[in-house]
Amino acid sequence: MSKEEILVVRKNGPLKGEVYISGAKNSALPILAASLLASEEVILDEVPKLKDIEVMVEILRSLNAKVEYITDTSLRIDSSNVDKFETPFELMDKMRASFIVMGPLLAKFGHAVTKAPGGCNIGKRPIDLHLKGFEALGAQTTMNHEEISSKTKNGLTGNVIYLDFPSVGATENIMMAATMAEGETVIENAAKEPEIVDLASFLSKMGANIIGAGTSNIIIKGVEKLKGTRHTIVPDRIEAATYMLAAAITGGDILIKNVLGSHIRPVIAKLIEIGAKVEEIEDDDMIRVKACKKLKATSIKTLPYPGFPTDVQSQFMALMTVCNGESSVVETVFENRFMHVDELKKMGSAIITEGNRAVIVGVDKLHGAEVKATDLRAGAALILAGLVADGETKISDIYHIDRGYSDLIEKFTKLGALIERKQVN
């Protein structure tokens, strides 16, 4: 029987020191996929060391791209010999974001075959918006319970595509597919996330013609080919927010390096509102978070960017469990994103949920418990709770956490946290 790994977290007072934020997972994954479009070598810097990245690298290699690490966080990719448009099903099962290769493959070959994607179980996240976009560009899609195939007879043609919801993945996939389509494509009600802007910046460096990334209307004029380039992935705003909340929940003082305050305005605003001190050092891309007293309750409502990020909701709820008074959370992005509530309750928190709303009454103290990371951000929330809980917090199913946090134990330990990885039967 194989041994499972768990994280053991113990309270050790306020976290102090500095932490360097890795490149954004949600930026690196589509940019890795987009490198399939380049006719020459691409070099990517600040690529985070994560399980999801490893899976995407395997997918690229399975298509005959040459991928090699120059350093721990820099990759060289040569897609000039890519000759396959079908991705291995076993790799697609491991990660939902793997579906993002459909757009580039469709642009490159006029054909893409893949499996319906896997990943975190936080809600429906349908891929119909992606497929509607491909169809608007002239691709025909066939689906069965195992595979999805999109194919075009005479290449892709630009069109106006309205998204029913500003889906990040659909915006990215359609944008990549449209880079080499004939004519002009307009994506209306597009997602505005910084990761969309980063992808557009990367594609533009390769020679794509894209205007409006970061707004709700993106215009792409098709070009014949895309060249090589070198690009640095933007900092991970969700990782940055997690360490900001670690400072707040432990009453600590952390200097967060390689972070763009403009990407996490709602998190900064809420931290200030509950009584934490937040200092932005803009010229150096740094933020200092200091919390020396018990923080007060607040309410948050998750929304698509630039609203409060759903990916920080779980971690913020962990903080609310020890704030003074009654807080509330309204989750509007994913319908299944309160799975961490039962785990936080095991640690002594007082939370009531009804539909997409949670009410959290702050308690004096949490206690350690055996809990499970139900998804990536839920795992981060449990670590934060464990940092202030009496006794030992044992977190299982940590493969979720490994998907999204680079060098997590090293970074937390450097700040003074007691956190270790252990094997159990």
Side-chain angles (χ1 to χ4, degrees):
M1 190 172 148
S2 65
K3 290 188 172 181
E4 191 206 345
E5 286 192 320
I6 63 164
L7 286 181
V8 180
V9 188
R10 296 181 192 85
K11 182 160 77 170
N12 194 35
L15 297 192
K16 291 184 175 171
E18 53 187 55
V19 62
Y20 186 87
I21 299 305
S22 303
K25 170 184 93 113
N26 290 341
S27 204
L29 291 170
I31 285 173
L32 278 165
S35 67
L36 287 166
L37 293 164
S39 57
E40 302 159 354
E41 184 180 277
V42 164
I43 294 175
L44 299 178
D45 297 309
E46 294 289 354
V47 180
K49 294 179 280 181
L50 300 169
K51 286 274 189 264
D52 277 10
I53 298 294
E54 288 171 21
V55 173
M56 186 58 87
V57 167
E58 278 185 68
I59 289 168
L60 295 187
R61 284 176 175 155
S62 76
L63 299 167
N64 284 339
K66 194 177 171 188
V67 187
E68 59 179 352
Y69 280 87
I70 307 168
T71 69
D72 260 9
T73 56
S74 291
L75 276 175
R76 181 184 284 118
I77 303 146
D78 181 355
S79 299
S80 56
N81 292 321
V82 169
D83 56 0
K84 295 179 182 174
F85 52 78
E86 190 167 334
T87 50
F89 286 7
E90 68 275 8
L91 291 176
M92 305 305 277
D93 248 353
K94 292 182 181 178
M95 178 182 68
R96 188 185 170 81
S98 53
F99 192 70
I100 209 77
V101 296
M102 283 287 275
L105 291 175
L106 202 50
K108 194 169 181 118
F109 298 110
H111 196 178
V113 180
T114 187
K115 186 185 188 296
C120 271
N121 182 28
I122 54 172
K124 289 191 183 107
R125 303 204 281 187
I127 53 169
D128 60 339
L129 292 177
H130 301 240
L131 301 177
K132 274 185 198 169
F134 296 156
E135 282 165 11
L137 295 173
Q140 287 189 317
T141 302
T142 53
M143 288 176 75
N144 58 36
H145 64 284
E146 279 196 344
E147 70 174 39
I148 301 163
S149 172
S150 278
K151 193 173 185 179
T152 165
K153 279 182 181 162
N154 304 306
L156 298 172
T157 308
N159 204 345
V160 177
I161 299 161
Y162 175 80
L163 296 179
D164 298 334
F165 175 83
S167 156
V168 174
T171 301
E172 291 167 341
N173 235 342
I174 295 163
M175 186 161 70
M176 289 188 283
T179 53
M180 295 198 287
E182 195 172 313
E184 183 177 280
T185 299
V186 181
I187 306 172
E188 296 181 341
N189 196 30
K192 303 174 185 174
E193 271 74 358
E195 294 80 13
I196 301 279
V197 178
D198 200 26
L199 173 61
S201 165
F202 172 68
L203 289 166
S204 297
K205 284 182 190 174
M206 294 201 298
N209 186 336
I210 301 170
I211 304 162
T215 74
S216 53
N217 272 24
I218 302 176
I219 301 162
I220 306 114
K221 288 178 181 166
V223 296
E224 276 188 31
K225 68 179 249 183
L226 297 175
K227 59 181 193 292
T229 191
R230 185 165 193 155
H231 182 78
T232 301
I233 307 290
V234 293
D236 194 316
R237 61 197 170 98
I238 309 302
E239 186 194 13
T242 302
Y243 286 102
M244 290 165 71
L245 295 176
I249 198 169
T250 63
D253 181 355
I254 300 177
L255 180 67
I256 292 122
K257 294 181 163 182
N258 194 36
V259 56
L260 300 171
S262 58
H263 289 179
I264 42 173
R265 281 277 157 257
V267 179
I268 291 171
K270 284 293 169 187
L271 278 171
I272 292 168
E273 189 185 301
I274 65 175
K277 287 182 180 169
V278 183
E279 180 193 355
E280 289 187 67
I281 308 156
E282 287 177 22
D283 292 349
D284 297 317
D285 294 341
M286 294 192 288
I287 294 176
R288 185 180 178 190
V289 179
K290 198 175 177 184
C292 43
K293 59 182 188 294
K294 183 123 169 148
L295 301 171
K296 56 180 188 278
T298 187
S299 57
I300 61 169
K301 180 180 184 178
T302 66
L303 289 162
Y305 190 86
F308 193 96
T310 181
D311 278 355
V312 183
Q313 179 258 104
S314 315
Q315 301 93 304
F316 214 102
M317 192 186 289
L319 171 59
M320 289 168 161
T321 65
V322 291
C323 284
N324 267 330
E326 184 178 291
S327 297
S328 71
V329 172
V330 177
E331 173 60 61
T332 74
V333 180
F334 290 127
E335 76 280 0
N336 201 18
R337 204 151 205 180
F338 282 159
M339 292 191 293
H340 52 284
V341 168
D342 286 343
E343 305 306 307
L344 287 170
K345 281 182 177 176
K346 290 175 189 173
M347 301 177 71
S349 65
I351 307 170
I352 299 166
T353 58
E354 187 179 335
N356 69 334
R357 186 167 187 266
V359 176
I360 305 99
V361 178
V363 295
D364 284 337
K365 56 172 65 177
L366 299 174
H367 55 76
E370 292 193 8
V371 290
K372 186 165 73 174
T374 51
D375 63 70
L376 165 55
R377 306 305 172 186
L382 295 172
I383 290 171
L384 295 184
L387 292 171
V388 293
D390 288 343
E392 219 173 50
T393 301
K394 293 179 177 176
I395 306 169
S396 60
D397 285 7
I398 61 169
Y399 61 89
H400 285 301
I401 301 170
D402 290 339
R403 287 185 44 238
Y405 287 93
S406 183
D407 297 328
L408 178 130
I409 289 177
E410 294 82 346
K411 288 181 182 182
F412 267 114
T413 302
K414 200 177 158 201
L415 295 168
L418 292 177
I419 178 168
E420 59 182 327
R421 191 182 286 260
K422 280 189 175 175
Q423 286 196 331
V424 292
N425 289 327

